[in-house]
Structure formats: structure tokens, C-alpha cells
Amino acid sequence: MKKTAIALAVGLGGFATLTQAAPKDNTWYIGDKVGWSQYHDVGFYGNGYPDIISNGLASKNKSGAGVFLGYQTKQYFGLEVGYDWLGRMPYKENMNHAVFKAKGIELAAKFNHLIVDNLEVYTRLGGMFWRADSKGSHARIPRLKNNDTGFAPLAGVGLEYTITKNIRTRLDYQFISNIGDASTVGARPDNTMLSLGIAYYFGQNNVSSPAMFVQAPIFGPKRVTLKSKVLFDFNTSALKAEGKQSLEELYTQLTSMHHKDDSIIALGYTDAVGSDNYNNKLSGKRAESVADFLIFKGVPAKKISAHGMGKANPSSRSNCSYKSGHATKAQIKCLAPDRRVEIKIKGINDVTTQAQD
């Protein structure tokens, strides 16, 4: 039970720090893993298995392996299903002989957090539907052979490194509590497995539709303008799916510049509707949303900053007949160019992305 508590604490501790991950939303991936599996609390004590069998030397450290299928619903959250072989553990000493082996189907939620470029830490929390088999013999008892199935909690932590857009490798440590039932298979050990795995993420080379951009080039004195309602819904700072795809396109073009020493500034703007205090906060949150997205895609956090500019520097140039108070639908539509996030890159001609409602 102590190991269970420790594993869950580690898992929940990782969950508390989750913010980001790099794959695209709604992405499938597959992978496999191999490593070292170790059983704990391996004594026999039930269903006719005398504890004298356990006096034999148990080979606790065995080879383990598995395959998994995952679905990345968000860039910081995914779901995985997998099959794990946890190893065959023999006991041998004089006339005492026994074997315990286990395998299972695991289901887990996976939470990622980017720590440095291309390297993430993650937590997996879930459970395993296991099957355990045991057999044993001793001079004073007949040969015993049994199997059982059940469910056990699972917790895991690991590091994941991006090799290419589609390929990632991971170092994973998982803990599974109480595999088996002493009343059927004679024992109920815990299991830990340290493994090295590799995964292939589908669709990572896809780019957003060119129709989303009025002008695509970002080199020279060009402006990239996103069509209406691409980044945010009206009066919110949460990035829409279309906005994330467009920012991925922007990130791809930014990385192609190879200006690693340049800094990036995200400037958020609102229209004139609402109070100065509210607009300053909203524009700041929008700029932070864009900056956070570029950070988890790979832009170093120390190279990018976000600032809210409120209703400053309107693009509509006061052509919307709006003065103050409540705005009509026509005025809100007219003021759309004012609601934007500008990306400025030090050392390169300014690039602007506009989010219009």
C-alpha cells in the first residue's frame, strides 16, 4: 500500500503542473516499448500454495514489453490503450518450484508538460485489466495450477523526446498495484516497469489550409492577415481550432527563418467596445494565448513575451460610427480589424496576424 500511495502521489504531482504538449489536437499515434519488469511482495500465501514455496529464490527482474495506441485530444492531454507483458517470474530451490506470470490491457489518461525544446515530462493515470497465472509444486503437496483476472490501478511518469514531427521516443516508469488474487493464484504482487519506447504520430506534416491567409509570405515588408473569426470567438481569449492551425503554419514559417537569437513580442488588441480596464485584461490574455501556443510548439519561453495593448492603435480608423456604450451588430462587425494579435520579431521585418470576430 505504501508503494501505491507513493506512485499515486507522483502521478498527481505531475498532473498538478500540466500546461502544454506539442502534438496537434485530435491526433492518433501508435508505439511499442521494451524494458525491465520487476515484481514486489512476491510471497505465496493463499489457495493451498504454502509459503514454503516462496522460500525459493524468486527471479523478480524480468524482461517486459508492450504496445500502445493513443489519441491526443488536446495538446496537453491524451488517452492511451495498450497491451503489456509483465514477465514470467520463477521460484526455484531444491524441491520447491513455482511460477507466476502476468499480462494485461491498460487504459490511461496522459498529461504532458513541455520543459525544454523537444523534451516533455508526462504523467499517466489509469488502470490495467490483468490476467495472472501461477503454478507450484512441493514434495508434500500436489501440483497446483490456477489463473485469475481483475483490475488494478496504474500510475506512470516519463520523459518524451521529439525526434521528428511524427516520431517520438519515451522513457517510461509505471507502477501497477496488486496483480492477482491470493485466493485464486496464491499471490498478489505489485509490479514496476522501466521501459524505452517509440511512437509514431499521424498527420503531423499536415498544414493549415492556404485559404486561411490573405497573404502567406512573412519575409520582407509583408503582412499576414487571418480571415474573420480565426483566432478567437468574440469576447474570449481561448484559441479556436482554426486559430491553432493557422498559428502552426506561422510557427513553421518562423522556424524556417533560423534566427535563433531574435526575440518575439505578441501584442494583443481589442476594439473600442467596453471599458479600458476590461479591454486591457482581455487583450493581454489573447496575447498570452498566442505566446503560450508558440512556446509549446518549440519557441523558447525566454525568447517571447506578451503584452496587452487594449484599444490602442485601431485598424478600423474610426470609420464605424461607434462612440461609446452599446455597439450594434453592424458596428461590432465593422470594428473586427481592431481585434487582433500582432507578432513582432526583433531583427526581422514586422509580421502581423489579425484575429477578427
Side-chain angles (χ1 to χ4, degrees):
M1 293 304 294
K2 288 183 178 179
K3 289 192 291 292
T4 302
I6 292 172
L8 290 177
V10 171
L12 292 174
F15 172 78
T17 62
L18 303 173
T19 57
Q20 306 153 355
K24 293 181 180 180
D25 291 356
N26 303 316
T27 296
W28 289 96
Y29 59 93
I30 58 173
D32 56 15
K33 61 184 179 180
V34 294
W36 298 267
S37 176
Q38 184 176 52
Y39 290 98
H40 307 269
D41 301 330
V42 297
F44 283 99
Y45 59 93
N47 194 26
Y49 290 80
D51 59 5
I52 191 172
I53 294 179
S54 304
N55 291 337
L57 181 63
S59 300
K60 301 179 182 180
N61 298 306
K62 308 303 295 182
S63 296
V67 294
F68 53 90
L69 171 69
Y71 183 69
Q72 196 80 28
T73 62
K74 298 292 182 181
Q75 290 161 337
Y76 58 86
F77 175 75
L79 298 171
E80 290 188 354
V81 58
Y83 170 83
D84 281 1
W85 165 251
L86 302 179
R88 180 179 182 274
M89 174 176 57
Y91 304 72
K92 289 186 179 181
E93 183 181 20
N94 298 327
M95 299 179 66
N96 306 328
H97 300 281
V99 170
F100 184 94
K101 59 183 180 180
K103 56 189 175 183
I105 302 295
E106 66 174 53
L107 298 171
K110 180 169 173 279
F111 308 88
N112 291 55
H113 176 66
L114 184 71
I115 50 178
V116 296
D117 290 358
N118 298 323
L119 182 64
E120 300 173 21
V121 62
Y122 66 81
T123 299
R124 293 190 300 118
L125 298 175
M128 171 179 280
F129 295 95
W130 48 259
R131 176 189 167 105
D133 294 83
S134 67
K135 59 182 179 181
S137 63
H138 185 263
R140 300 196 301 268
I141 62 172
R143 182 178 179 86
L144 299 171
K145 184 176 182 180
N146 293 283
N147 63 74
D148 197 5
T149 58
F151 180 82
L154 175 151
V157 294
L159 295 172
E160 195 164 53
Y161 183 77
T162 300
I163 300 176
T164 69
K165 288 182 179 180
N166 297 94
I167 300 176
R168 297 177 151 218
T169 186
R170 64 168 65 173
L171 179 66
D172 184 272
Y173 178 82
Q174 74 177 24
F175 173 84
I176 304 171
S177 175
N178 297 328
I179 302 171
D181 189 330
S183 65
T184 54
V185 292
R188 198 183 187 193
D190 300 327
N191 179 268
T192 57
M193 184 160 67
L194 179 66
S195 63
L196 184 64
I198 190 166
Y200 181 86
Y201 285 72
F202 296 95
Q204 297 304 294
N205 290 325
N206 295 341
V207 297
S208 55
S209 172
M212 302 184 75
F213 293 90
V214 174
Q215 291 179 315
I218 62 173
F219 302 103
K222 299 290 185 180
R223 294 169 64 89
V224 177
T225 302
L226 301 180
K227 289 185 177 180
S228 178
K229 298 183 180 179
V230 173
L231 285 183
F232 310 102
D233 283 324
F234 180 72
N235 204 31
T236 72
S237 59
L239 285 170
K240 298 173 63 176
E242 302 96 316
K244 291 178 181 179
Q245 291 177 353
S246 298
L247 288 174
E248 288 197 25
E249 173 80 2
L250 176 62
Y251 172 74
T252 299
Q253 296 184 53
L254 289 175
T255 56
S256 68
M257 292 179 177
H258 302 295
H259 286 262
K260 295 184 178 180
D261 295 328
D262 295 324
S263 60
I264 299 174
I265 303 174
L267 302 175
Y269 294 89
T270 66
D271 58 27
V273 181
S275 68
D276 289 344
N277 183 53
Y278 180 82
N279 284 327
N280 288 336
K281 290 181 179 179
L282 178 60
S283 63
K285 289 180 180 178
R286 287 183 165 183
E288 289 172 0
S289 293
V290 171
D292 288 344
F293 185 92
L294 294 175
I295 288 171
F296 76 64
K297 290 305 297 180
V299 175
K302 64 182 180 180
K303 296 291 186 180
I304 188 168
S305 60
H307 305 278
M309 307 301 291
K311 60 182 71 172
N313 303 325
S315 297
S316 60
R317 301 186 183 278
S318 302
N319 295 326
C320 301
S321 301
Y322 176 79
K323 300 300 181 182
S324 62
H326 179 75
T328 65
K329 290 184 178 180
Q331 289 172 332
I332 291 175
K333 182 177 181 180
C334 180
L335 293 168
D338 297 343
R339 301 187 290 270
R340 65 197 189 277
V341 174
E342 294 183 356
I343 304 297
K344 295 194 174 183
I345 307 170
K346 182 180 179 181
I348 301 177
N349 290 312
D350 291 350
V351 178
T352 302
T353 65
Q354 293 187 349
Q356 303 177 8
D357 292 319

